[in-house]
Amino acid sequence: MKKNLIISILLLLSISFMFADGAGGFYSGYQVSSFPFMDGDSFENNNMGLYYSGGFGYGVSWNNVISGGFGYAIYRSEDENTPIGGFGGVINGVRLLGYPINISIMSWTGFGAVSTSSNDGKSFAISEELTLEVGLPVFRWFSPTIYAG
């Protein structure tokens, strides 16, 4: 009896993943002071030559509540093997529409630090980013998404 109960629970848990929803992935980027589409405009005071890479993941519950987390490390562009800082935090939000397109509003709240030559490693930062995601579900497991935030 006990063995059947354990097997039944494991089978139900494995089937429940078929109905799970959410997203996740890796990202990376490089900070620049000018952009090709903004000829003549630059942000010289914002160029520290940093590279970042990290990942995120979140789930969507049956009542369209989004929760998850993210993290990334920050490196100097000339030495991508030694991190000089990083951020980690939580993702919260709501899915407004799931079919025929996915529309979600989310909040990415994080804590972290960056050590630059000008602050001698004494920094702490809190970040908040509100985002909008619009995706077109091609398959249940594949949905190209536009992200703005």
Coordinates of all heavy atoms in Angstrom, one line a residue, residues 73-148:
A73 N 26.8 38.0 -13.0 CA 28.1 38.4 -12.6 C 28.5 39.5 -13.5 O 28.2 39.5 -14.7 CB 29.1 37.3 -12.6
I74 N 29.3 40.5 -13.0 CA 29.9 41.6 -13.8 C 31.4 41.5 -13.9 O 32.0 41.2 -12.8 CB 29.5 42.9 -13.2 CG1 27.9 43.0 -13.0 CG2 30.0 44.1 -14.0 CD1 27.5 44.2 -12.2
Y75 N 31.9 41.7 -15.1 CA 33.4 41.5 -15.3 C 33.9 42.8 -16.0 O 33.1 43.4 -16.7 CB 33.7 40.3 -16.2 CG 33.1 39.0 -15.8 CD1 31.8 38.7 -16.2 CD2 33.8 38.2 -14.9 CE1 31.3 37.5 -15.8 CE2 33.3 37.0 -14.5 CZ 32.0 36.6 -14.9 OH 31.5 35.4 -14.5
R76 N 35.2 43.0 -15.9 CA 35.8 44.1 -16.8 C 36.0 43.4 -18.1 O 36.3 42.3 -18.3 CB 37.1 44.5 -16.2 CG 37.0 45.3 -15.0 CD 38.4 46.0 -14.8 NE 38.4 46.6 -13.5 CZ 37.7 47.6 -13.1 NH1 36.9 48.2 -13.9 NH2 37.7 48.1 -11.9
S77 N 35.8 44.2 -19.2 CA 35.8 43.7 -20.5 C 37.2 43.1 -20.9 O 37.4 42.2 -21.7 CB 35.4 44.7 -21.6 OG 36.3 45.8 -21.5
E78 N 38.3 43.7 -20.3 CA 39.6 43.2 -20.6 C 40.0 41.9 -19.8 O 40.9 41.2 -20.1 CB 40.7 44.3 -20.4 CG 40.7 44.8 -19.0 CD 39.8 46.0 -18.7 OE1 39.1 46.4 -19.6 OE2 39.8 46.5 -17.6
D79 N 39.2 41.6 -18.7 CA 39.5 40.4 -17.9 C 38.2 39.7 -17.6 O 37.6 39.9 -16.5 CB 40.3 40.7 -16.7 CG 40.7 39.5 -15.8 OD1 40.6 38.4 -16.4 OD2 41.0 39.7 -14.7
E80 N 37.7 38.9 -18.5 CA 36.4 38.2 -18.3 C 36.4 37.0 -17.4 O 35.4 36.4 -17.2 CB 35.8 37.9 -19.6 CG 35.5 39.0 -20.5 CD 34.9 38.7 -21.9 OE1 34.6 37.5 -22.1 OE2 34.8 39.5 -22.7
N81 N 37.6 36.8 -16.7 CA 37.7 35.6 -15.8 C 37.6 36.0 -14.4 O 37.5 35.2 -13.5 CB 39.0 34.9 -16.1 CG 39.0 34.3 -17.5 OD1 38.0 33.8 -17.9 ND2 40.2 34.3 -18.1
T82 N 37.7 37.3 -14.1 CA 37.7 37.8 -12.7 C 36.4 38.7 -12.5 O 36.4 39.8 -13.0 CB 38.9 38.6 -12.4 OG1 40.1 37.8 -12.7 CG2 39.0 38.9 -10.9
P83 N 35.4 38.2 -11.7 CA 34.3 39.0 -11.5 C 34.6 40.2 -10.6 O 35.4 40.1 -9.7 CB 33.3 38.1 -10.8 CG 34.1 36.9 -10.3 CD 35.3 36.9 -11.1
I84 N 34.0 41.3 -10.9 CA 34.2 42.5 -10.0 C 32.9 42.9 -9.3 O 32.8 43.9 -8.6 CB 34.7 43.7 -10.8 CG1 33.7 44.1 -11.9 CG2 36.0 43.5 -11.4 CD1 34.0 45.5 -12.5
G85 N 31.8 42.1 -9.5 CA 30.6 42.3 -8.8 C 29.5 41.4 -9.4 O 29.7 40.5 -10.2
G86 N 28.3 41.7 -8.9 CA 27.2 40.9 -9.3 C 25.9 41.3 -8.7 O 25.9 42.1 -7.7
F87 N 24.8 40.8 -9.2 CA 23.5 41.1 -8.7 C 22.7 39.8 -8.6 O 22.9 38.9 -9.4 CB 22.7 42.0 -9.6 CG 23.0 43.5 -9.3 CD1 24.1 44.1 -9.9 CD2 22.2 44.2 -8.5 CE1 24.4 45.4 -9.7 CE2 22.5 45.6 -8.2 CZ 23.6 46.1 -8.8
G88 N 21.7 39.7 -7.7 CA 20.8 38.6 -7.6 C 19.5 39.1 -7.0 O 19.5 40.1 -6.3
G89 N 18.4 38.5 -7.4 CA 17.1 39.0 -6.9 C 16.0 38.1 -7.3 O 16.1 37.0 -7.7
V90 N 14.8 38.7 -7.1 CA 13.5 38.0 -7.3 C 12.8 38.6 -8.5 O 12.9 39.8 -8.8 CB 12.6 38.0 -6.1 CG1 13.3 37.3 -4.9 CG2 12.3 39.4 -5.6
I91 N 12.0 37.8 -9.1 CA 11.1 38.2 -10.2 C 9.7 38.0 -9.8 O 9.3 36.8 -9.3 CB 11.4 37.4 -11.5 CG1 12.8 37.5 -11.9 CG2 10.4 37.8 -12.6 CD1 13.2 36.6 -13.0
N92 N 8.8 39.0 -9.8 CA 7.4 38.8 -9.5 C 6.6 39.5 -10.5 O 7.0 40.5 -11.1 CB 7.1 39.5 -8.1 CG 7.8 38.7 -7.0 OD1 7.5 37.6 -6.8 ND2 8.6 39.4 -6.2
G93 N 5.4 39.0 -10.8 CA 4.6 39.7 -11.8 C 3.3 38.9 -12.0 O 2.9 38.1 -11.2
V94 N 2.6 39.3 -13.1 CA 1.4 38.7 -13.5 C 1.3 38.5 -15.0 O 1.8 39.4 -15.8 CB 0.2 39.6 -13.0 CG1 0.2 40.9 -13.6 CG2 -1.1 38.9 -13.2
R95 N 0.7 37.4 -15.4 CA 0.5 37.2 -16.9 C -0.9 37.8 -17.2 O -1.9 37.3 -16.6 CB 0.6 35.7 -17.2 CG 0.1 35.5 -18.7 CD 0.4 34.2 -19.2 NE 1.8 34.0 -19.3 CZ 2.4 32.8 -19.4 NH1 1.7 31.7 -19.3 NH2 3.7 32.7 -19.5
L96 N -1.0 38.7 -18.1 CA -2.3 39.3 -18.4 C -3.0 38.5 -19.4 O -4.3 38.5 -19.4 CB -2.0 40.8 -18.9 CG -1.3 41.7 -18.0 CD1 -1.0 43.0 -18.7 CD2 -2.1 41.9 -16.7
L97 N -2.3 37.9 -20.4 CA -2.9 37.2 -21.4 C -2.0 36.0 -21.8 O -0.8 36.1 -21.9 CB -3.1 38.1 -22.7 CG -3.9 37.5 -23.9 CD1 -5.3 37.1 -23.5 CD2 -3.9 38.5 -25.0
G98 N -2.6 34.8 -22.0 CA -1.8 33.6 -22.3 C -2.0 33.1 -23.7 O -1.2 32.4 -24.2
Y99 N -3.2 33.4 -24.3 CA -3.4 32.9 -25.6 C -4.3 33.9 -26.3 O -5.2 34.5 -25.7 CB -4.2 31.6 -25.5 CG -4.4 30.9 -26.8 CD1 -3.4 30.2 -27.4 CD2 -5.6 31.1 -27.5 CE1 -3.5 29.6 -28.7 CE2 -5.8 30.5 -28.8 CZ -4.7 29.7 -29.3 OH -4.9 29.2 -30.6
P100 N -4.1 34.2 -27.6 CA -3.2 33.7 -28.6 C -1.8 34.2 -28.4 O -0.8 33.7 -29.1 CB -3.8 34.1 -29.9 CG -4.5 35.4 -29.6 CD -5.0 35.2 -28.2
I101 N -1.5 35.3 -27.6 CA -0.2 35.8 -27.4 C 0.0 35.8 -25.9 O -1.0 36.0 -25.1 CB 0.1 37.1 -28.0 CG1 -0.9 38.2 -27.5 CG2 0.0 37.1 -29.5 CD1 -0.6 39.6 -28.0
N102 N 1.2 35.8 -25.4 CA 1.6 35.9 -24.0 C 1.9 37.4 -23.7 O 2.8 37.9 -24.4 CB 2.8 35.1 -23.6 CG 2.5 33.6 -23.7 OD1 1.3 33.2 -23.4 ND2 3.4 32.8 -24.0
I103 N 1.2 38.0 -22.8 CA 1.6 39.3 -22.3 C 1.7 39.3 -20.8 O 0.8 38.9 -20.1 CB 0.5 40.3 -22.7 CG1 0.3 40.4 -24.2 CG2 0.8 41.7 -22.2 CD1 -0.9 41.2 -24.7
S104 N 2.9 39.7 -20.3 CA 3.2 39.7 -18.9 C 3.8 41.0 -18.5 O 4.6 41.6 -19.2 CB 4.2 38.6 -18.6 OG 3.6 37.3 -18.9
I105 N 3.5 41.4 -17.2 CA 4.2 42.6 -16.6 C 4.9 42.0 -15.4 O 4.3 41.3 -14.6 CB 3.1 43.6 -16.2 CG1 2.5 44.2 -17.4 CG2 3.8 44.7 -15.4 CD1 1.4 45.2 -17.1
M106 N 6.2 42.4 -15.3 CA 7.0 41.8 -14.2 C 7.8 42.9 -13.5 O 8.1 43.9 -14.1 CB 7.9 40.7 -14.7 CG 7.1 39.5 -15.2 SD 8.1 38.2 -15.7 CE 8.7 38.8 -17.3
S107 N 8.2 42.6 -12.3 CA 9.2 43.4 -11.5 C 10.4 42.6 -11.2 O 10.3 41.5 -10.6 CB 8.5 43.9 -10.2 OG 9.4 44.4 -9.3
W108 N 11.6 43.1 -11.5 CA 12.8 42.4 -11.2 C 13.5 43.2 -10.1 O 14.0 44.4 -10.4 CB 13.7 42.3 -12.4 CG 13.2 41.5 -13.6 CD1 12.0 41.7 -14.2 CD2 13.9 40.5 -14.3 NE1 11.9 40.8 -15.2 CE2 13.0 40.0 -15.3 CE3 15.1 39.9 -14.1 CZ2 13.4 39.0 -16.2 CZ3 15.5 38.9 -15.0 CH2 14.6 38.4 -16.0
T109 N 13.6 42.7 -8.9 CA 14.2 43.5 -7.8 C 15.4 42.7 -7.3 O 15.4 41.6 -7.1 CB 13.2 43.5 -6.6 OG1 11.9 44.1 -7.1 CG2 13.7 44.4 -5.5
G110 N 16.6 43.5 -7.3 CA 17.8 42.8 -7.0 C 18.7 43.6 -6.1 O 18.5 44.8 -5.9
F111 N 19.7 42.9 -5.5 CA 20.7 43.5 -4.6 C 22.0 43.1 -5.1 O 22.2 42.0 -5.6 CB 20.5 43.0 -3.2 CG 19.2 43.3 -2.6 CD1 18.1 42.4 -2.7 CD2 19.0 44.5 -2.0 CE1 16.9 42.7 -2.1 CE2 17.7 44.8 -1.4 CZ 16.7 43.9 -1.5
G112 N 23.0 43.9 -5.0 CA 24.3 43.6 -5.5 C 25.4 44.6 -5.2 O 25.1 45.6 -4.5
A113 N 26.5 44.5 -5.8 CA 27.6 45.4 -5.7 C 28.5 45.3 -6.9 O 28.6 44.3 -7.6 CB 28.4 45.1 -4.4
V114 N 29.3 46.4 -7.2 CA 30.3 46.5 -8.2 C 31.5 47.2 -7.6 O 31.4 48.2 -7.0 CB 29.7 47.2 -9.4 CG1 30.8 47.3 -10.5 CG2 28.5 46.6 -10.0
S115 N 32.6 46.6 -7.8 CA 33.9 47.2 -7.4 C 34.6 47.8 -8.5 O 35.1 47.0 -9.4 CB 34.7 46.1 -6.7 OG 36.0 46.6 -6.4
T116 N 34.7 49.1 -8.6 CA 35.5 49.7 -9.6 C 36.7 50.4 -9.0 O 36.8 50.5 -7.8 CB 34.6 50.8 -10.4 OG1 34.3 51.8 -9.4 CG2 33.4 50.2 -10.9
S117 N 37.6 50.9 -9.8 CA 38.8 51.6 -9.3 C 38.5 52.8 -8.6 O 39.2 53.3 -7.7 CB 39.8 51.8 -10.4 OG 39.2 52.7 -11.4
S118 N 37.3 53.4 -8.9 CA 37.0 54.7 -8.2 C 36.3 54.5 -6.9 O 36.3 55.5 -6.1 CB 36.1 55.5 -9.2 OG 34.9 54.8 -9.4
N119 N 35.8 53.4 -6.6 CA 35.1 53.2 -5.3 C 35.8 52.3 -4.3 O 35.3 52.0 -3.3 CB 33.6 52.9 -5.4 CG 33.4 51.5 -6.0 OD1 34.4 50.7 -6.1 ND2 32.2 51.1 -6.4
D120 N 37.0 51.8 -4.7 CA 37.8 50.9 -3.8 C 37.0 49.7 -3.3 O 37.2 49.3 -2.2 CB 38.4 51.7 -2.7 CG 39.3 52.8 -3.2 OD1 40.0 52.5 -4.2 OD2 39.4 53.8 -2.5
G121 N 36.1 49.2 -4.1 CA 35.4 48.0 -3.6 C 34.3 48.2 -2.6 O 33.8 47.3 -2.0
K122 N 34.0 49.5 -2.3 CA 33.0 49.8 -1.3 C 31.7 50.2 -2.0 O 31.4 51.4 -2.0 CB 33.5 50.8 -0.4 CG 34.7 50.4 0.4 CD 35.3 51.5 1.1 CE 36.6 51.1 1.7 NZ 37.3 52.2 2.3
S123 N 30.9 49.3 -2.5 CA 29.6 49.7 -3.1 C 28.5 48.7 -2.8 O 28.8 47.5 -2.5 CB 29.8 49.8 -4.6 OG 30.1 48.5 -5.1
F124 N 27.3 49.2 -2.8 CA 26.2 48.4 -2.6 C 25.1 49.0 -3.4 O 25.0 50.2 -3.5 CB 25.8 48.3 -1.1 CG 24.5 47.6 -0.9 CD1 24.5 46.2 -0.9 CD2 23.3 48.2 -0.6 CE1 23.3 45.5 -0.7 CE2 22.1 47.6 -0.4 CZ 22.1 46.2 -0.4
A125 N 24.3 48.2 -4.1 CA 23.2 48.8 -4.9 C 21.9 47.9 -4.8 O 22.0 46.7 -4.6 CB 23.7 48.8 -6.4
I126 N 20.8 48.6 -5.0 CA 19.5 48.0 -5.1 C 19.0 48.3 -6.5 O 19.0 49.5 -6.9 CB 18.6 48.5 -4.0 CG1 19.1 48.1 -2.6 CG2 17.2 47.9 -4.2 CD1 18.3 48.7 -1.5
S127 N 18.5 47.4 -7.2 CA 18.0 47.7 -8.5 C 16.5 47.2 -8.6 O 16.1 46.3 -8.0 CB 18.8 46.9 -9.6 OG 18.6 45.5 -9.6
E128 N 15.8 48.0 -9.4 CA 14.4 47.7 -9.7 C 14.1 47.9 -11.1 O 14.4 49.0 -11.7 CB 13.4 48.5 -8.8 CG 12.0 48.4 -9.1 CD 11.4 47.0 -8.9 OE1 12.0 46.3 -8.0 OE2 10.5 46.6 -9.6
E129 N 13.6 46.9 -11.8 CA 13.2 47.1 -13.2 C 11.8 46.5 -13.5 O 11.5 45.4 -13.2 CB 14.2 46.3 -14.1 CG 14.0 46.5 -15.6 CD 15.0 45.7 -16.4 OE1 15.9 45.0 -15.9 OE2 15.0 45.9 -17.6
L130 N 11.0 47.4 -14.0 CA 9.7 46.9 -14.4 C 9.7 46.6 -15.9 O 10.3 47.3 -16.7 CB 8.6 48.1 -14.2 CG 8.4 48.4 -12.8 CD1 7.4 49.6 -12.7 CD2 7.9 47.3 -12.0
T131 N 9.2 45.4 -16.3 CA 9.3 45.0 -17.6 C 7.9 44.5 -18.2 O 7.0 44.2 -17.5 CB 10.2 43.8 -17.7 OG1 9.7 42.7 -17.0 CG2 11.6 44.1 -17.2
L132 N 7.9 44.5 -19.5 CA 6.7 44.0 -20.3 C 7.3 43.0 -21.2 O 8.2 43.2 -21.9 CB 6.1 45.2 -21.0 CG 5.0 44.8 -22.0 CD1 3.7 44.3 -21.2 CD2 4.6 45.9 -22.9
E133 N 6.7 41.8 -21.2 CA 7.0 40.8 -22.2 C 5.8 40.4 -23.0 O 4.7 40.2 -22.5 CB 7.5 39.5 -21.5 CG 8.8 39.6 -20.8 CD 9.3 38.3 -20.3 OE1 8.6 37.3 -20.4 OE2 10.4 38.3 -19.7
V134 N 6.1 40.4 -24.3 CA 5.0 40.0 -25.3 C 5.6 38.8 -26.1 O 6.7 39.0 -26.8 CB 4.6 41.1 -26.2 CG1 3.6 40.7 -27.2 CG2 4.1 42.3 -25.4
G135 N 5.0 37.7 -26.1 CA 5.5 36.5 -26.8 C 4.4 35.9 -27.7 O 3.2 36.0 -27.4
L136 N 4.9 35.2 -28.7 CA 4.0 34.4 -29.6 C 4.3 33.0 -29.5 O 5.3 32.5 -30.0 CB 4.3 34.9 -31.1 CG 3.4 34.2 -32.1 CD1 1.9 34.6 -31.9 CD2 3.9 34.7 -33.5
P137 N 3.4 32.2 -28.8 CA 3.7 30.8 -28.6 C 3.6 30.0 -29.9 O 2.5 29.8 -30.4 CB 2.7 30.3 -27.6 CG 1.7 31.4 -27.4 CD 2.2 32.6 -28.1
V138 N 4.7 29.6 -30.4 CA 4.7 28.8 -31.6 C 4.4 27.3 -31.3 O 3.6 26.7 -31.9 CB 6.1 28.8 -32.3 CG1 6.2 28.0 -33.6 CG2 6.4 30.3 -32.7
F139 N 5.1 26.8 -30.2 CA 4.8 25.5 -29.6 C 4.6 25.7 -28.1 O 4.9 26.8 -27.6 CB 6.0 24.5 -29.9 CG 6.3 24.3 -31.3 CD1 7.4 24.8 -31.9 CD2 5.4 23.5 -32.1 CE1 7.7 24.6 -33.2 CE2 5.7 23.3 -33.4 CZ 6.8 23.8 -34.0
R140 N 4.1 24.7 -27.4 CA 4.0 24.9 -26.0 C 5.3 25.2 -25.3 O 5.3 25.8 -24.3 CB 3.4 23.6 -25.4 CG 3.2 23.6 -23.9 CD 1.9 23.0 -23.5 NE 1.8 23.0 -22.1 CZ 1.4 24.0 -21.3 NH1 1.1 25.1 -21.9 NH2 1.3 24.0 -20.0
W141 N 6.4 24.7 -25.8 CA 7.7 24.8 -25.2 C 8.5 25.9 -25.9 O 9.7 26.1 -25.5 CB 8.4 23.5 -25.2 CG 8.5 22.9 -26.6 CD1 7.5 22.0 -27.1 CD2 9.4 23.1 -27.6 NE1 7.9 21.7 -28.4 CE2 9.0 22.4 -28.7 CE3 10.6 23.9 -27.7 CZ2 9.7 22.4 -29.9 CZ3 11.3 23.9 -28.9 CH2 10.9 23.1 -30.0
F142 N 8.0 26.6 -26.9 CA 8.8 27.6 -27.6 C 8.0 28.8 -27.9 O 7.0 28.7 -28.6 CB 9.3 27.0 -28.9 CG 10.2 27.9 -29.8 CD1 11.4 28.4 -29.4 CD2 9.6 28.4 -31.0 CE1 12.1 29.2 -30.1 CE2 10.4 29.3 -31.8 CZ 11.6 29.7 -31.3
S143 N 8.4 30.0 -27.4 CA 7.7 31.2 -27.6 C 8.7 32.4 -27.8 O 9.2 32.9 -26.8 CB 6.8 31.5 -26.4 OG 6.1 32.7 -26.6
P144 N 8.9 32.8 -29.0 CA 9.8 34.0 -29.2 C 9.1 35.2 -28.5 O 7.9 35.4 -28.6 CB 9.8 34.2 -30.7 CG 9.4 32.9 -31.3 CD 8.5 32.2 -30.3
T145 N 9.9 36.0 -27.8 CA 9.4 37.0 -26.9 C 10.1 38.3 -27.1 O 11.4 38.3 -27.2 CB 9.5 36.6 -25.4 OG1 8.8 35.3 -25.3 CG2 9.0 37.6 -24.5
I146 N 9.4 39.4 -27.1 CA 9.9 40.8 -27.1 C 9.9 41.3 -25.6 O 8.9 41.2 -25.0 CB 9.1 41.7 -28.0 CG1 9.2 41.2 -29.4 CG2 9.6 43.1 -27.9 CD1 8.3 42.0 -30.4
Y147 N 11.0 41.8 -25.2 CA 11.2 42.2 -23.8 C 11.5 43.7 -23.8 O 12.4 44.1 -24.5 CB 12.3 41.4 -23.2 CG 12.9 41.8 -21.9 CD1 12.4 41.3 -20.7 CD2 13.9 42.7 -21.8 CE1 12.9 41.7 -19.5 CE2 14.4 43.1 -20.6 CZ 13.9 42.6 -19.5 OH 14.4 43.0 -18.3
A148 N 10.8 44.4 -23.0 CA 11.0 45.9 -22.8 C 11.0 46.2 -21.3 O 10.1 45.8 -20.6 CB 10.0 46.7 -23.5

